[in-house]
Amino acid sequence: MKRDVGRTTRDLRRHNRTSVLTRLYLHGPASRFDLMRATGLSSATVSNVVTDLVADGLVAEAGLLDSDGGRPRTLLEVRPGYAQVAGVDIGETHVQVGLFDWTLDTLATATYPMDTGRPDPGVLAGLVTTGIEEVTAKAGADPAALLGVGVGVPGAVRPDGAVHAPTLGWSGVPFDALLRPHIAAPLHLDNCARTLGQAEMWRGAGRGADRAIVALLAVGVGAAVATGTPGGVASTTSEWGHTVVEAGGAPCRCGSRGCLEAYVGAEAILDHYGSLPGAPELRGGGTEAKVAALVADAARPGAAADTVRWTAEYLGIGIANLINLLSPDRVVLSGWVSGAMGPAMLPAVRDAVRRHALDYLAAGTVLELGRLGPDAVALGAATLPVHGLLAAGERTG
Ligand SMILES: [Zn+2]
């Protein structure tokens, strides 16, 4: 009986800390009165929780807010210096490691380009540990003191940490077991589209949306369906890139034909450009440099501009299918291909969506570009340890 009471008290304490901390983390500075209204907790409880969070260094006072007639209210905010997190983007063209404070401001990054489409898991694990050493050294941080290391992989992560990632040629690779001996901080692995979706909902173009779809456009194409919830953000991924947009169409890496990824994935875009008669060779050595060169050339009429329009049409069809299926209030285009091509192709994508989605559903959907910049996927991975902290209301592990 006594133990049950103890557990209930602990659960209640965790719930209260999580409520207050999550409100401050996701929505910014607030007074004790704002927190009371937002969480439904009593004035005394909010006061106690805030006192604890300040004592633990998670929260600090952030000045005074004038209130009508009454005495000014003290604003509270989360303290960025409380902890640092590392986020790792295992992409198909590079490995990027970012060091962030726990409010996800970038402190240092390191990027390692990859030439091979079938990277060896052991070599990649080595790049991850090198990257963590590099970014912590740059920022003068202690790798063992990190809140955690989040790793985003372009595939599915099983509960035992094994990764299935067809785009890397991985089937059941024990990536978690390869990394764990070399990483002193708590390690978290998840699908990169899901973590990117979480980051866009917390910090980017998904903020304030009830039901957003965050599309990850890279060599591979995926999407996360994110729902704004009071306790943070829950999201699931979909294999959107392998939904068919053309019967008997272009061959896809998955073995099928006519998949969306076979039209709007980075390599598919470059293949299409190369197939156009008289298309000049693109400058740059790697996939990312070539896509950047294509976008620069698309400013004037020619094969590059035609390729941007062609990509926008298929992307618009893919997005219209998502809208017709799920009626989101927002669709966010993220990932490095969106960063490179998004500004040039957004009007044509919107036009294609208007033509292919049902009017009454499309009217309720805003389509925009992600706002997280080139570190978006690494930043997404860094949300994993932060989510753990918010859910527990304190540091664990
Ligand atoms: Zn496919």
Side-chain angles (χ1 to χ4, degrees):
M1 193 66 194
K2 218 168 186 177
R3 214 178 56 203
D4 285 345
V5 172
R7 192 166 65 209
T8 308
T9 309
R10 267 201 313 280
D11 287 350
L12 197 60
R13 177 179 173 275
R14 186 181 64 200
H15 169 264
N16 295 344
R17 278 176 73 104
T18 292
S19 301
V20 170
L21 194 58
T22 303
R23 169 63 182 75
L24 285 173
Y25 187 85
L26 294 180
H27 302 287
S31 68
R32 286 174 178 77
F33 183 73
D34 299 331
L35 291 170
M36 218 174 80
R37 286 208 303 202
T39 61
L41 299 173
S42 73
S43 160
T45 302
V46 166
S47 266
N48 288 339
V49 170
V50 165
T51 302
D52 284 354
L53 291 173
V54 170
D56 292 348
L58 279 149
V59 166
E61 294 190 348
L64 295 170
L65 178 73
D66 281 333
S67 63
D68 300 335
R71 64 191 174 93
R73 292 184 180 137
T74 305
L75 280 178
L76 299 150
E77 66 183 359
V78 292
R79 253 187 79 236
Y82 171 71
Q84 294 164 339
V85 288
V88 181
D89 166 13
I90 305 286
E92 301 102 336
T93 53
H94 63 244
V95 170
Q96 186 181 54
V97 180
L99 184 73
F100 307 89
D101 69 41
W102 80 289
T103 66
L104 302 178
D105 277 338
T106 306
L107 303 173
T109 58
T111 305
Y112 308 94
M114 297 189 307
D115 312 326
T116 163
R118 293 277 182 271
D120 176 73
V123 172
L124 275 194
L127 286 181
V128 173
T129 49
T130 305
I132 289 169
E133 280 164 19
E134 189 177 331
V135 294
T136 48
K138 271 186 196 168
D142 172 6
L146 297 179
L147 179 64
V149 174
V151 179
V153 293
V157 182
R158 298 288 160 210
D160 62 359
V163 176
H164 296 273
T167 57
L168 300 175
W170 291 7
S171 176
V173 168
F175 200 50
D176 183 283
L178 283 172
L179 281 174
R180 204 166 283 276
H182 307 287
I183 292 181
L187 178 65
H188 308 253
L189 244 72
D190 207 336
N191 172 273
C192 60
R194 201 188 79 75
T195 55
L196 177 67
Q198 187 153 278
E200 287 285 2
M201 291 298 279
W202 283 8
R203 287 285 310 263
R207 281 188 80 148
D210 286 328
R211 185 182 178 80
I213 293 175
V214 179
L216 170 57
L217 304 177
V219 174
V221 172
V225 183
T227 314
T229 60
V233 166
S235 63
T236 52
T237 50
S238 71
E239 290 289 1
W240 179 50
H242 300 284
T243 54
V244 175
V245 292
E246 183 97 50
C252 181
R253 288 185 291 190
C254 72
S256 180
R257 281 184 169 273
C259 294
L260 180 64
E261 189 176 297
Y263 295 86
V264 308
E267 281 166 4
I269 296 168
L270 294 177
D271 286 349
H272 177 78
Y273 175 84
S275 74
L276 296 178
E281 181 129 350
L282 290 169
R283 299 175 305 279
T287 306
E288 292 186 46
K290 284 198 162 74
V291 169
L294 183 142
V295 173
D297 289 353
R300 49 189 180 279
D306 291 350
T307 302
V308 169
R309 267 198 306 279
W310 179 87
T311 307
E313 183 67 20
Y314 281 102
L315 188 56
I317 290 171
I319 293 166
N321 289 342
L322 285 176
I323 292 173
N324 288 347
L325 271 171
L326 298 166
S327 69
D329 59 339
R330 208 171 300 177
V331 176
V332 177
L333 303 182
S334 194
W336 70 263
V337 167
S338 171
M341 287 181 75
M345 71 178 172
L346 190 60
V349 176
R350 286 194 170 125
D351 179 58
V353 169
R354 261 195 301 275
R355 284 181 284 107
H356 295 289
L358 293 180
D359 286 345
Y360 79 97
L361 293 176
T365 307
V366 175
L367 173 63
E368 45 184 317
L369 300 178
R371 295 197 199 130
L372 298 176
D375 310 331
V377 176
L379 196 144
T383 65
L384 290 169
V386 177
H387 188 264
L389 171 65
L390 294 178
E394 62 194 329
R395 256 185 113 124
T396 53

